[in-house]
């Protein structure tokens, strides 16, 4: 398989078995597919993907933690002809940046959001995220997430799907080659929605964090299928 | 030069200054006493083909400005004290990424929710940082509706010239009062090339705008570069006005709306034959410390008047450096000093 032109051929800093590298590649493949590399302006998050610009071969900026969709809004509003996407973890999007994502979605900003759900804060050492599953052990839920104490895992896509501004929302995973292909199709579709001026599109990608799940890469991939995807069902949640 | 005389409130004049300067993007969140500015920008950017967003919060508003500025357009946001506190996160990022923009603070009484009366309690926050890290904002302090237009126009130029956020520090009094002002028809914004802007990498290498610098020594190097820039700004852009300082027994120091009141007090004092002068900083950062230091040759006493517990007075003391006595008179929490109060203090000190 040829390497995507939008992806720089350099070593990456992600842990073995991490989903970020795969997802970067899928984003770049979609961008190449539509020949839009020279139109893209990306917003990288604060989180493990904070230096995504070292891997992506197009214009990229950063945002303060969680403000990613607001930065993208500013860019898109002054440059409607560019293709603008954000790349956000679950801490970034579902905790500190909940307001920004809800309102960018509700305004129907014509941007694309790649939402990487690995159920933990990877960058800061594996603390609980809003998406952490019930019973899951993290550095801040050492006996497992208690629903009574920490509340319920947040289903962001289901929440966003009720907003009229959201035109496309799909949940995918990158735990097997089969799922990776489906993830690829979803990410391509999300960019196509923006190219066609349809409005806000978001793809949630269930991703592995073997390091802070305390698992081997294979076990982590299995966990997505056996546990994570049973709570966060895969598939199109909204398309119009 | 043909001129256009109009009657406007300060907040609107500020918005018009931005529009004339070629502002193409505004994002803000309502807070009194600057709401006329948001409404004005919504209307005028619609008319001039710019983009206006009523943001969900101040955090979002300043980040939207970050995006618009990174994409190469002139961008502005405005707020009042509690909202500016929220914007500090984004302001630090803009300063770090050397992104130009204009931020307007029409100060109100604080701390906390405070009240909606005019105050100058945000001086420290404006000139000493406010957000995290070592950075400076170019801080301009208008004292009339006319100057809200003129200095906002200037702020966009300075921001682009130095790739740095510029802050208009006003207050509720200035923002909401109405005065006649002149809109010169020949005000032309300067154009600055932006070879760093994110526009899509057509026919060029990709660009990155970021403040994360992890390489050994890279962030220290970037900080050194920024400090060098701040030194240049200090040398080139310090602005102030002096009145009757050559023969003064006492010099008043005040900025913004208080400078206006102090000026009236000075004139009343002169009418009584008292030798009173006034120094009025126009840039609060860079602070006109040289002007103040130089005036120590002619005077032995300063009276700093502020609508705060005493903030700018610290910069005056630094500038004077023991060469004269520095006294302070302040009102807080939305209290406005009047001419007679200032005159009384002056007479007590003489
Ligand atoms: C305002 C602010 N608060 C906290 C942090 C520290 N921080 C950095 S990354 C991160 C969590 C990232 O988690 P997530 O978005 O899930 O991405 P991941 O690292 O798992 O890919 C936090 C809390 C920060 N940089 N800024
Ligand atoms: S900590 Fe987790 S999310 Fe971060 S790079 Fe490692 S595996 Fe990936």
């Amino acid at each position: 398989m040829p390497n995507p032109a939008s992806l720089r051929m350099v070593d990456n800093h992600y842990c073995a078995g991490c989903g970020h590298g795969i997802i970067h590649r899928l984003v770049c493949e979609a961008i190449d597919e539509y020949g839009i590399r020279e139109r893209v302006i990306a917003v990288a998050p604060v989180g493990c993907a904070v230096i995504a610009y070292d891997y992506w071969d197009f214009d990229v900026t950063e945002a303060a933690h969680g403000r990613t969709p607001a930065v993208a809004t500013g860019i898109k509003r002054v440059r409607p002809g560019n293709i603008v996407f954000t790349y956000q973890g679950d801490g970034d999007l579902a905790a500190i940046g909940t307001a920004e994502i809800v309102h960018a979605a509700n305004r129907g900003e014509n941007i694309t959001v790649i939402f990487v759900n690995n159920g933990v804060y990877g960058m800061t050492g594996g603390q609980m995220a809003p998406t952490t599953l019930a019973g899951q052990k993290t550095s801040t839920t050492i006996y497992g997430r208690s629903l009574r104490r920490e509340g319920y895992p947040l289903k962001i896509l289901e929440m966003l799907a009720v907003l009229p501004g959201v035109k496309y929302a799909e949940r995918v995973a990158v735990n097997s080659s089969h799922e990776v292909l489906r993830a690829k199709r979803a990410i391509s579709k999300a960019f196509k929605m923006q190219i066609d001026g349809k409005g806000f599109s978001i793809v949630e990608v269930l991703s592995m964090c073997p390091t802070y799940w305390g698992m081997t890469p294979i076990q982590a991939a299995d966990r997505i299928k056996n546990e994570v995807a049973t709570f966060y069902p895969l598939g199109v949640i909204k398309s119009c | 030069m043909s001129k256009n005389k109009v009657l406007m409130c300060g907040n609107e004049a500020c918005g018009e200054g931005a529009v004339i300067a070629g502002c193409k993007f505004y994002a803000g969140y309502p807070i009194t006493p600057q709401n006329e500015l948001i409404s004005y920008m919504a209307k005028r950017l619609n008319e001039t083909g710019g983009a206006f967003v009523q943001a969900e919060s101040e955090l979002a508003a300043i980040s939207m400005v970050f995006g618009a500025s990174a994409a190469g357009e002139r961008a502005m946001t405005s707020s009042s004290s509690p909202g500016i506190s929220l914007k500090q996160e984004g302001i630090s990022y803009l300063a770090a990424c050397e992104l130009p923009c204009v931020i307007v603070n029409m100060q109100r009484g604080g701390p906390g929710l405070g009240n909606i009366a005019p105050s100058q309690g945000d001086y420290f926050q404006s000139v000493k940082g406010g957000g995290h890290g070592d950075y400076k904002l170019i801080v301009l302090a208008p004292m009339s509706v006319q100057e809200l237009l003129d200095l906002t126009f200037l702020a966009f130029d300075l921001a682009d010239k130095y790739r740095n956020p510029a802050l208009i520090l006003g207050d509720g009094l200035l923002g909401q009062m109405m005065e006649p002002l002149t809109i010169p028809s020949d005000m032309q914004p300067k154009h600055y090339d932006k070879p760093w802007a994110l526009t899509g990498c057509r026919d060029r290498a990709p660009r990155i705008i970021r403040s994360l610098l992890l390489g050994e020594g890279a962030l220290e190097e970037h900080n050194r570069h920024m400090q060098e820039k701040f030194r240049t700004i200090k040398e080139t852009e310090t602005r102030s006005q002096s009145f009757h300082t050559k023969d003064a027994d006492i010099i008043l120091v005040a900025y913004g709306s208080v400078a206006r009141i102090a000026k009236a007090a000075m004139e009343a004092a002169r009418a009584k034959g008292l030798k009173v002068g006034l120094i009025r900083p126009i840039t609060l950062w860079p602070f006109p410390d040289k002007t103040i230091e130089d005036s120590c040759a002619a005077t032995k006493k300063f009276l700093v008047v502020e609508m705060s517990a005493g903030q700018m007075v610290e910069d005056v003391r630094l500038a004077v450096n023991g060469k004269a006595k520095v006294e302070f008179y302040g009102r807080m929490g939305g209290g406005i000093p009047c001419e007679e109060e200032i005159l009384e203090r002056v007479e007590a000190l003489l």
Side-chain angles (χ1 to χ4, degrees), chain A residues 37-39 41 50-51 53 57-62 64 67 70-71 74-75 77-79 82 100 103 107, chain B residues 52-53 56 60 63-64 66-68 71 73 89 93 198-202 204 206-212:
Chain A
R37 190 184 75 90
E38 297 180 327
R39 284 168 68 197
I41 304 174
V50 66
I51 55 169
Y53 40 68
D57 202 20
F58 38 77
D59 282 7
V60 189
T61 188
E62 70 177 13
R67 318 288 167 243
V71 170
I75 299 171
R77 289 295 182 106
V78 298
R79 300 206 150 268
N82 284 83
E100 282 79 3
H103 290 280
R107 286 190 301 267
Chain B
F52 168 90
V53 185
E56 62 270 28
S63 287
M64 289 173 188
F66 182 106
E73 294 293 348
E89 176 196 60
Y93 277 74
L198 305 185
T199 55
C201 60
R202 180 156 301 145
R204 62 160 171 81
R207 292 173 183 161
I208 299 168
I209 292 177
R210 59 142 182 273
S211 59
L212 181 77

Side-chain angles (χ1 to χ4, degrees), chain A residues 63-234:
Chain A
H65 194 28
R67 318 288 167 243
T68 332
V71 170
T73 298
I75 299 171
K76 188 72 181 187
R77 289 295 182 106
V78 298
R79 300 206 150 268
N82 284 83
I83 301 299
V84 180
F85 79 91
T86 69
Y87 187 100
Q88 303 178 251
D90 41 38
D92 194 85
L93 184 143
I96 194 169
T98 333
E100 282 79 3
I101 196 67
V102 168
H103 290 280
N106 193 47
R107 286 190 301 267
E109 297 293 342
N110 190 29
I111 60 171
T112 299
V113 173
I114 309 297
F115 168 34
V116 181
N117 178 356
N118 60 14
V120 288
Y121 289 21
M123 177 78 152
T124 42
Q127 297 87 356
M128 182 190 77
T131 48
T132 298
L133 293 185
Q136 185 178 337
K137 288 186 176 146
T138 71
S139 77
T140 48
T141 53
I142 50 172
Y143 303 112
R145 180 179 188 157
S146 143
L147 296 182
R148 199 167 49 77
R149 209 172 36 229
E150 279 94 31
Y152 298 84
L154 200 53
K155 290 189 172 172
I156 287 284
L157 280 207
E158 284 78 355
M159 272 172 57
L160 293 182
V162 301
L163 304 174
V166 175
K167 299 302 174 192
Y168 176 61
E170 179 164 359
R171 188 180 287 118
V172 295
V174 287
N175 59 319
S176 70
S177 51
H178 176 71
E179 295 302 343
V180 167
L181 282 176
R182 298 209 340 204
K184 160 97 196 281
R185 276 198 294 276
I187 290 171
S188 294
K189 170 104 190 276
F191 277 104
K192 185 74 168 62
M193 298 294 284
Q194 183 180 168
I195 293 165
D196 293 345
K198 293 267 169 62
F200 188 87
S201 54
I202 180 166
V203 178
E204 174 175 343
V205 187
L206 301 183
S207 178
M208 299 75 72
C209 178
T211 305
Y212 291 114
W213 293 0
M215 292 177 175
T216 65
I218 307 260
Q219 287 168 333
D222 286 345
R223 177 175 179 261
I224 289 199
K225 178 161 163 261
N226 301 330
E227 269 181 73
V228 186
T230 57
F231 185 81
Y232 295 110
L234 301 181

Side-chain angles (χ1 to χ4, degrees), chain B residues 29-160:
Chain B
Y29 186 86
I31 182 169
T32 309
Q34 58 85 60
N35 294 321
E36 297 81 4
L37 180 47
I38 297 201
S39 307
Y40 195 80
M41 292 310 279
K43 171 169 162 277
R44 291 291 279 135
L45 286 181
N46 187 35
E47 289 164 4
T48 57
F52 168 90
V53 185
Q54 181 171 327
E56 62 270 28
S57 70
E58 287 84 357
L59 296 159
I62 191 77
S63 287
M64 289 173 188
V65 164
F66 182 106
S69 176
E73 294 293 348
R74 284 193 161 182
M76 177 163 102
T77 186
S78 65
S79 192
S80 181
S81 309
I84 294 290
S85 293
L86 283 176
K87 285 186 202 288
Q88 295 299 343
E89 176 196 60
I91 294 172
S92 171
Y93 277 74
L94 279 148
C97 292
E98 296 193 88
L99 291 176
C101 72
V102 173
I103 303 146
V104 180
N105 181 4
M106 291 299 175
Q107 299 169 88
R108 58 189 250 177
L113 197 49
N115 62 24
I116 56 169
S119 162
Q120 296 182 324
D122 304 350
Y123 177 89
F124 282 152
Q125 190 194 45
S126 312
V127 307
K128 309 279 182 198
H132 56 285
D134 283 313
Y135 71 89
K136 292 287 183 191
L137 303 178
I138 300 168
V139 183
L140 298 164
M143 71 168 193
S144 64
V145 173
Q146 179 72 52
E147 280 194 353
L148 268 164
L149 182 133
D150 297 343
L151 293 184
T152 304
F153 180 86
L154 174 69
F156 275 94
D157 266 347
L158 294 177
D160 271 359

